[in-house]
C-alpha cells in the first residue's frame, strides 16, 4: 500500500517539540515513493509543518513552570520589547512580579535563568529542529530532484529566518542542519552564524516562489531578510554592509504602502498591500498563541469593548514605557492607532468604566515605578484591531515584515552612505501616510524616531536600539550600561547549558 499521508502529525502545531540539544524527535510517515509532490498544492502541504512552527508553542520546564514560546504574545515578545526603550511590564500590586524577570529585562540585568531568555532560545531552535526533520523526510522521499530543490528552498529560507533571530538575540549559537546528528552541538561564533544565514539565503533565493504570495517564504521575503541582515551587519560582524542592504531592498517588488496605516493590523489584514511576511492565525482552525491584546488591557476593559461585559479576560500587563506616547509629533496619526490612553467608556451606556475599587479606568502615560505601578498606569498596546466578539485567540495575522520597513532600510542605508536627499525621499513617503510634513534634513535622531513610531511593538525596537547605540544609554528606570557585560546579546539559557556540556556561555555571563 502506497503512503499518501505525509507525516500528518507534523502538519499540526501540536506536534512534540524539541530543543536543539535534544535531537531525538520522533519521525512520522515518509512521503510516498511514488509521485506525491509534483503539484504546487502538494509542495505547499509538505512545507506546511515548518510554517506552522512560526506560531510557536507552549510547554513547561523541568521544574514544571510554563514557558510560552509564542512570538505574538508573552515571553518571546516580552524578551525583545521589554529590553528596549519601548515597553515594560510594571509590577501592579501582587500582579506581574513573576520572580522579577520583567524588571531584569527593563534594567538590563537579566541572568541565564530568566524564563524570557529561555523562551527566545527555544522558540527559534524548535523551529530549526522542525525544519531539519522535514528536510530529512523530503530527502528520504520519492520526490524528483527538482521537487526536492523547490521544497528545500523554502525550508532553508525558514531555517535562515530562525537563525537570524538567534544571531540577533544570542550571537554565538550552534548551527545544526542534519536531523540525524547524534552528537551534541557546539557553539559557532556570531560571525559564523551571520555567514551561514547569508549563504543559506543567497543559495536558495533563485528557487523560491516569485511575486507576492501571502504567507509563503518567497524571493521578496528572502530579500527583505537579507536587507535586515545587512542593515545590522556592523553590529553582527564589525563590518557595515549598507550597499548590500540597498541592493537587497531594490529586489523587493509588488508591494505598496496601504493608504491607512491601520489596515496592516486589522482582523482581516491578509488583504494588506504592504505585508511581505506574516504568521496566519485563525482560531476556528485551532491556531494558538496570538493573545497579546489580552496581556495589555485592564481587567475591566471588557466593559468598553462589549455591552454585556462578555469580552474575554484581560491581564493588565505589558504597556508602553513613559515617554513613548508623548514622543510622537502632533498630528502623527500612528500614535492613536498604536497606543490607547485616557478614560475608557462603557459600550452599553457611555458612562465611565470603573475599576473594581470604584475609580475611573483612565490609562495614563506616566508610571510611578516599575516596581509599584497602579492598575491604570501605562499606555496600552492597541495596534491590532479588536472586536467585541474576539475570542481568547485572535484572528489578526501577526506581521513579521512589511513594505514600510523596506523603505526605512533604504532611507537609513542611503543616509549612512551620505546620500541624504535620496534618504529623505524614502522616509517622507512614510511620513506622508502618517499625516506629517516631509523632513528637509536628516540626522540619526530623526531616523531613530521614525523607526520607533512606524514600528512600535512590531519586534524591531531592541535591534534598532542596538544599531543606533541607544540600547546602552539610560532610559526610564534603566541606568547607562555602556560598560556592562552583555554587549547587546542575551546569555545562553542555564537550562540549555545543563543539557549540553558542549555549549559555552556567552562572554560576560555566568552559567546561572
Amino acid at each position: 500500500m502506497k503512503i499518501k499521508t505525509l507525516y500528518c502529525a507534523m502538519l499540526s502545531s501540536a506536534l512534540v517539540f524539541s530543543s536543539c540539544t535534544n535531537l531525538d524527535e520522533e519521525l512520522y510517515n515518509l512521503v510516498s515513493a511514488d509521485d506525491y509532490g509534483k503539484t504546487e498544492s502538494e509542495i505547499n502541504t509538505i512545507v506546511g509543518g515548518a510554517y506552522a512552527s512560526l506560531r510557536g508553542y507552549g510547554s513547561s520546564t523541568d521544574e514544571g513552570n510554563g514557558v510560552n514560546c509564542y512570538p505574538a504574545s508573552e515571553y518571546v515578545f516580552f524578551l525583545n520589547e521589554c529590553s528596549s526603550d519601548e515597553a515594560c511590564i510594571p509590577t501592579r500590586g501582587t500582579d506581574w512580579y513573576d520572580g522579577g524577570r520583567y524588571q531584569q529585562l527593563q534594567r538590563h540585568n537579566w541572568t541565564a535563568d530568566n524564563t524570557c531568555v529561555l523562551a527566545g532560545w527555544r522558540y527559534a531552535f524548535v523551529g530549526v529542529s522542525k525544519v531539519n526533520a522535514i528536510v530529512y523526510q523530503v530527502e528520504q522521499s520519492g520526490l524528483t530532484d527538482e521537487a526536492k530543490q523547490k521544497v528545500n528552498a523554502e525550508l532553508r529560507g525558514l531555517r535562515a529566518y530562525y537563525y537570524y533571530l538567534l544571531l540577533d538575540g544570542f550571537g554565538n549559537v550552534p548551527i545544526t542542519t542534519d536531523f540525524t546528528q547524534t552528537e551534541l552541538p557546539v557553539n559557532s561564533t556570531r560571525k559564523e552564524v551571520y555567514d551561514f544565514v547569508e549563504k543559506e539565503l543567497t543559495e536558495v533565493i533563485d528557487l523560491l516562489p516569485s511575486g507576492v504570495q501571502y504567507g509563503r517564504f518567497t524571493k521578496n521575503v528572502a530579500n527583505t531578510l537579507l536587507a535586515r541582515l545587512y542593515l545590522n551587519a556592523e553590529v553582527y560582524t564589525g563590518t557595515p554592509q549598507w550597499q548590500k542592504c540597498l541592493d537587497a531592498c531594490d529586489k523587493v517588488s509588488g508591494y505598496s504602502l496601504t493608504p491607512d496605516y491601520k489596515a496592516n493590523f486589522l482582523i482581516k489584514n491578509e488583504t494588506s498591500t504592504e505585508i511581505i511576511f506574516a504568521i496566519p492565525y485563525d482560531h476556528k482552525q485551532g491556531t494558538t498563541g496570538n493573545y497579546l491584546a489580552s496581556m495589555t488591557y485592564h481587567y475591566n476593559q471588557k466593559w468598553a469593548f462589549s455591552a454585556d461585559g462578555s469580552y474575554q479576560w484581560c491581564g493588565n500587563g505589558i504597556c508602553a514605557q513613559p515617554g513613548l506616547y508623548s514622543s510622537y509629533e502632533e498630528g502623527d496619526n500612528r500614535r492613536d492607532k498604536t497606543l490607547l490612553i485616557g478614560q475608557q467608556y462603557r459600550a452599553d451606556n457611555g458612562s465611565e468604566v470603573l475599576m473594581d475599587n470604584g475609580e475611573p479606568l483612565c490609562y495614563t502615560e506616566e508610571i510611578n515605578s516599575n516596581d509599584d505601578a497602579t492598575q491604570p498606569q501605562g499606555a496600552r498596546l492597541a495596534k491590532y484591531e479588536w472586536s467585541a466578539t474576539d475570542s481568547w485567540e485572535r484572528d489578526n495575522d501577526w506581521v513579521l515584515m512589511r513594505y514600510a520597513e523596506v523603505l526605512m532600510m533604504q532611507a537609513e542605508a542611503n543616509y549612512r552612505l551620505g546620500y541624504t536627499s535620496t534618504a529623505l525621499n524614502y522616509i517622507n513617503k512614510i511620513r506622508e501616510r502618517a499625516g506629517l510634513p516631509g523632513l528637509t534634513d536628516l540626522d540619526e535622531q530623526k531616523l531613530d524616531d521614525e523607526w520607533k513610531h512606524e514600528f512600535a511593538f512590531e519586534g524591531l525596537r531592541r535591534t534598532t536600539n542596538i544599531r543606533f547605540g541607544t540600547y546602552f544609554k539610560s532610559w526610564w528606570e534603566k541606568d547607562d550600561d555602556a560598560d556592562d557585560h552583555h554587549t547587546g546579546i542575551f546569555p545562553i539559557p542555564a537550562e540549555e547549558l545543563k543539557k549540553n556540556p558542549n555549549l559555552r556561555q556567552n562572554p560576560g555571563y555566568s552559567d546561572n
Side-chain angles (χ1 to χ4, degrees):
M1 175 176 159
K2 292 184 174 63
I3 300 170
K4 288 290 188 182
T5 57
L6 285 151
Y7 45 87
C8 295
M10 264 195 159
L11 300 182
S12 167
S13 59
L15 102 95
V16 177
F17 294 100
S18 67
S19 73
C20 80
T21 54
N22 180 5
L23 302 178
D24 298 324
E25 184 175 353
E26 180 182 356
L27 287 178
Y28 297 88
N29 294 335
L30 296 182
V31 181
S32 166
D34 200 353
D35 60 352
Y36 197 93
K38 289 188 175 180
T39 69
E40 192 71 20
S41 62
E42 289 171 344
I43 289 173
N44 289 345
T45 302
I46 293 171
V47 182
Y51 282 109
S53 68
L54 289 169
R55 299 190 190 103
Y57 71 102
S59 71
S60 63
T61 65
D62 293 341
E63 293 78 24
N65 299 317
V67 182
N68 291 320
C69 300
Y70 298 121
S73 61
E74 293 207 73
Y75 302 140
V76 177
F77 183 81
F78 294 168
L79 178 65
N80 289 306
E81 290 298 317
C82 295
S83 61
S84 78
D85 63 0
E86 196 163 73
C88 62
I89 305 177
T91 300
R92 307 176 193 275
T94 59
D95 292 344
W96 290 100
Y97 177 66
D98 295 344
R101 64 175 68 117
Y102 310 121
Q103 281 83 354
Q104 285 185 8
L105 296 181
Q106 168 67 26
R107 293 164 180 157
H108 286 196
N109 58 7
W110 50 74
T111 58
D113 60 358
N114 188 298
T115 302
C116 298
V117 172
L118 177 62
W121 174 279
R122 283 191 172 176
Y123 170 72
F125 267 119
V126 163
V128 168
S129 180
K130 191 169 184 182
V131 169
N132 288 344
I134 298 175
V135 168
Y136 175 84
Q137 293 207 344
V138 171
E139 289 300 325
Q140 300 302 308
S141 76
L143 299 178
T144 66
D145 289 343
E146 182 180 358
K148 287 179 181 178
Q149 283 187 325
K150 288 187 67 177
V151 172
N152 285 337
E154 288 189 62
L155 293 171
R156 289 171 65 186
L158 284 169
R159 186 172 61 196
Y161 171 74
Y162 285 121
Y163 266 109
Y164 170 79
L165 299 180
L166 290 163
L167 165 72
D168 185 69
F170 296 92
N172 311 292
V173 301
I175 298 174
T176 61
T177 60
D178 182 359
F179 188 72
T180 65
Q181 176 182 334
T182 57
E183 65 271 16
L184 295 175
V186 300
N187 307 68
S188 297
T189 66
R190 199 177 201 187
K191 176 62 164 57
E192 289 171 337
V193 180
Y194 174 94
D195 291 341
F196 172 77
V197 173
E198 181 184 34
K199 181 175 181 288
E200 287 290 285
L201 292 172
T202 54
E203 284 187 354
V204 305
I205 201 162
D206 289 338
L207 296 169
L208 291 170
S210 300
V212 176
Q213 297 193 39
Y214 193 82
R216 295 281 298 279
F217 200 98
T218 62
K219 288 182 172 68
N220 280 319
V221 175
N223 279 310
T224 304
L225 184 55
L226 274 170
R228 272 189 190 177
L229 182 74
Y230 295 138
L231 185 71
N232 295 286
E234 189 170 12
V235 172
Y236 301 148
T237 71
T239 302
Q241 298 288 359
W242 308 118
Q243 187 58 54
K244 281 189 173 183
C245 176
L246 289 176
D247 293 343
C249 287
D250 288 342
K251 295 174 184 175
V252 178
S253 63
Y255 300 93
S256 60
L257 295 180
T258 59
D260 182 4
Y261 178 74
K262 194 75 172 181
N264 296 297
F265 312 102
L266 298 177
I267 293 171
K268 295 187 179 296
N269 57 344
E270 65 270 16
T271 62
S272 166
T273 61
E274 187 173 337
I275 294 175
I276 297 173
F277 197 39
I279 306 175
Y281 284 94
D282 183 346
H283 80 278
K284 293 180 181 178
Q285 299 299 319
T287 59
T288 60
N290 186 4
Y291 51 89
L292 179 64
S294 297
M295 299 289 100
T296 187
Y297 296 121
H298 184 273
Y299 318 110
N300 285 356
Q301 188 72 29
K302 60 185 180 181
W303 295 107
F305 286 171
S306 55
D308 60 358
S310 60
Y311 192 81
Q312 86 289 330
W313 176 84
C314 296
N316 200 36
I318 191 170
C319 61
Q321 281 188 35
L324 178 61
Y325 184 88
S326 57
S327 71
Y328 284 81
E329 297 172 58
E330 283 301 318
D332 190 334
N333 61 46
R334 296 170 296 192
R335 183 185 65 183
D336 294 331
K337 294 177 180 180
T338 299
L339 297 167
L340 181 65
I341 203 165
Q343 177 62 50
Q344 301 303 293
Y345 296 93
R346 292 179 63 108
D348 55 354
N349 58 23
S351 64
E352 294 179 340
V353 174
L354 302 179
M355 297 183 293
D356 290 346
N357 63 5
E359 295 179 3
L361 174 56
C362 182
Y363 297 126
T364 64
E365 178 177 13
E366 294 307 313
I367 302 172
N368 287 342
S369 77
N370 209 27
D371 299 316
D372 186 24
T374 64
Q375 286 194 7
Q377 288 183 331
R380 304 308 156 110
L381 286 54
K383 197 160 204 171
Y384 283 85
E385 181 189 26
W386 58 269
S387 165
T389 59
D390 276 341
S391 63
W392 172 258
E393 299 292 344
R394 297 301 168 40
D395 293 333
N396 320 67
D397 293 345
W398 189 257
V399 179
L400 297 178
M401 301 173 184
R402 52 189 181 88
Y403 185 59
E405 183 185 353
V406 175
L407 294 177
M408 277 302 301
M409 288 192 287
Q410 289 173 306
E412 182 175 339
N414 272 292
Y415 172 79
R416 303 288 186 186
L417 289 170
Y419 308 132
T420 303
S421 60
T422 304
L424 285 168
N425 290 334
Y426 290 113
I427 202 169
N428 284 338
K429 291 178 182 179
I430 294 173
R431 288 177 60 84
E432 180 181 5
R433 181 181 56 182
L436 297 171
L439 297 173
T440 57
D441 60 77
L442 199 56
D443 56 28
E444 278 203 10
Q445 183 63 59
K446 290 176 181 177
L447 266 174
D448 188 33
D449 285 344
E450 209 59 45
W451 277 107
K452 176 167 59 178
H453 299 146
E454 178 67 22
F455 300 102
F457 308 118
E458 294 185 50
L460 299 181
R461 189 60 189 160
R462 170 188 157 275
T463 306
T464 305
N465 278 153
I466 293 171
R467 190 171 68 253
F468 279 82
T470 54
Y471 191 69
F472 307 101
K473 295 181 180 179
S474 60
W475 60 56
W476 182 73
E477 295 226 357
K478 183 184 84 70
D479 295 331
D480 187 301
D481 57 337
D483 297 323
D484 204 1
H485 61 275
H486 57 74
T487 64
I489 57 175
F490 297 113
I492 309 299
E495 190 164 321
E496 299 301 317
L497 291 170
K498 291 176 184 176
K499 291 180 180 178
N500 181 1
N502 290 341
L503 291 178
R504 295 294 177 263
Q505 183 57 276
N506 279 331
Y509 290 106
S510 63
D511 292 348
N512 49 47

